[in-house]
Amino acid sequence: MQKSVTWVEQDMAQRSLRGSIKPYLLAALCTAFAFVLRLGLDPIWKDRLPYVSFFIGFFVVAQFAAVWPCLFAMIGGFLLGDWFFVTPRHSLLIHDQVNQINAAFYFVFCSAVLFFSLRMRRALAAERAAGSTLGQLAAIVESSDDAIIRKSLTGKIVSWNSGAEKLYGYTETEMLGQSTELLLASEGGKELAPLLERVGRGEQISHFETTQRRKGGDLVEVSVTISPVRNGNGQIIAASTITRDIGQRKRAERERERLLSELQTALSEVKTLSGFFPICAHCKKIRDDKGYWNQIEVYVRDHSNASFTHGICPECARRNFDLLKSE
């Protein structure tokens, strides 16, 4: 395992090295091509325009490479142009004022190109990243089981995902441009306007439970979260609604409440016996709170939900039978 990890790390390091060398190779090739081009034009241009071809090569490098390879191309082009094409040749000294101005313009133009090129590439990278993020968010929204709907502040539907189609039964084509009042139950229709007004003020409505209507007229219990949607200037331009079907949970809650109610009702009807009972040691009668002596079965019947049936145990039957037989 350690050898495998080491091989992977070496491969990644080699790729990183190749990736870091490529921009410098590009800078070197463009600078060399600019040198060959200027050398070919030297019989015509002579001491004029010593840096033009090197500026063109630098311009190409600036479109693809980072700062350091660009600086490599810029300085390399200046040194080659000064050494081979500026009088006195084969020297880095510049005595002519015109060539001094050319060198100054070369560095100014190269710096400006580098600045705007890097800025443009960063903007494009940010735009691509934002586009990728938006694509991922769109995929998440589309694959969500919850109904995610974007609507204008007037209640017109702007976007409709597959979760909304599953929940309400309407397709995206049927609902785009329609009013959300189509989804409201008659008894809950007055709830929309106040909520949209609150969202228009920047508030977020979280987990608002209501009843809405599916295609075909069936009602569904839902939990709704409404959030404001802002543009780049921070202005609220729309509202995003996330709706979740809570019908199963509400049915379970109602069933639990029904069972609890039945249990409480049953418990309230149950009578229990507790405390001390004054009972006759001979006849087993019990004295009630009013001082009357009652048969034990009568007392228990009046103070609980128990009922009695009468019979004769074997011992009593033998004893009573013997008494009757002796008579």
Side-chain angles (χ1 to χ4, degrees):
M1 178 61 70
Q2 184 65 30
K3 293 182 178 179
S4 177
V5 172
T6 303
W7 178 82
V8 172
E9 291 177 348
Q10 291 177 351
D11 182 67
M12 292 179 63
Q14 291 175 358
R15 290 187 181 184
S16 177
L17 181 62
R18 289 196 296 269
S20 61
I21 291 177
K22 284 182 179 180
Y24 288 96
L25 290 177
L26 174 65
L29 289 175
C30 289
T31 304
F33 176 79
F35 173 75
V36 173
L37 177 63
R38 181 61 182 81
L39 189 64
L41 294 173
D42 189 61
I44 301 175
W45 286 359
K46 298 184 188 249
D47 294 338
R48 297 186 301 272
L49 305 176
Y51 304 110
V52 171
S53 62
F54 296 102
F55 174 76
I56 296 173
F58 171 82
F59 183 85
V60 174
V61 176
Q63 306 308 309
F64 302 99
V67 176
W68 290 110
C70 290
L71 293 177
F72 173 79
M74 180 171 62
I75 296 174
F78 169 75
L79 294 176
L80 289 175
D82 187 15
W83 182 268
F84 288 99
F85 306 111
V86 174
T87 304
R89 301 200 175 193
H90 305 296
S91 172
L92 296 179
L93 298 177
I94 304 176
H95 301 293
D96 189 3
Q97 185 177 5
V98 174
N99 288 326
Q100 291 176 353
I101 295 175
N102 288 335
F105 272 110
Y106 171 78
F107 280 108
V108 170
F109 287 148
C110 287
S111 299
V113 168
L114 178 60
F115 173 78
F116 287 107
S117 177
L118 292 176
R119 186 173 180 179
M120 180 184 66
R121 280 189 286 153
R122 287 172 183 170
L124 290 175
E127 184 177 351
R128 285 194 296 268
S132 176
T133 301
L134 289 176
Q136 293 175 1
L137 290 176
I140 293 173
V141 168
E142 186 60 28
S143 62
S144 174
D145 291 332
D146 294 335
I148 302 178
I149 306 169
R150 188 162 63 94
K151 54 192 174 184
S152 65
L153 295 179
T154 58
K156 298 295 183 181
I157 295 174
V158 180
S159 66
W160 183 268
N161 75 331
S162 59
E165 182 174 344
K166 294 176 183 177
L167 178 61
Y168 296 107
Y170 293 100
T171 64
E172 182 180 10
T173 305
E174 292 175 313
M175 292 306 296
L176 290 182
Q178 297 292 330
S179 173
T180 52
E181 293 182 357
L182 183 64
L183 307 175
L184 301 179
S186 57
E187 61 273 13
K190 298 180 180 179
E191 300 171 346
L192 177 63
L195 294 181
L196 289 178
E197 290 179 1
R198 291 172 57 186
V199 172
R201 295 193 296 266
E203 297 184 37
Q204 180 176 355
I205 312 299
S206 300
H207 307 297
F208 177 77
E209 296 185 359
T210 184
T211 302
Q212 295 186 341
R213 190 178 301 278
R214 287 191 176 107
K215 184 178 182 179
D218 295 334
L219 299 180
V220 56
E221 294 176 298
V222 295
S223 174
V224 181
T225 297
I226 309 177
S227 305
V229 177
R230 303 177 185 272
N231 60 12
N233 298 324
Q235 299 175 337
I236 299 174
I237 58 173
S240 175
T241 302
I242 301 177
T243 308
R244 176 169 297 179
D245 185 356
I246 59 172
Q248 185 175 0
R249 175 171 67 82
K250 298 297 287 185
R251 287 190 294 271
E253 290 177 356
R254 286 193 292 268
E255 180 65 16
R256 184 173 65 252
E257 292 175 358
R258 184 186 66 81
L259 293 176
L260 288 175
S261 177
E262 291 180 356
L263 179 59
Q264 291 173 354
T265 301
L267 291 176
S268 65
E269 294 176 353
V270 171
K271 298 179 180 178
T272 59
L273 295 174
S274 62
F276 294 96
F277 302 99
I279 186 170
C280 177
H282 179 70
C283 67
K284 307 304 181 184
K285 288 183 179 180
I286 298 177
R287 189 182 64 198
D288 60 18
D289 297 336
K290 297 180 180 180
Y292 296 102
W293 292 89
N294 301 296
Q295 295 289 340
I296 186 172
E297 64 268 24
V298 175
Y299 185 89
V300 173
R301 183 196 63 195
D302 293 341
H303 291 79
S304 71
N305 291 327
S307 300
F308 289 86
T309 60
H310 292 83
I312 300 176
C313 68
E315 183 179 353
C316 291
R318 286 195 301 272
R319 185 178 59 188
N320 292 331
F321 177 77
D322 291 341
L323 291 174
L324 293 174
K325 185 177 180 180
S326 63
E327 292 176 358

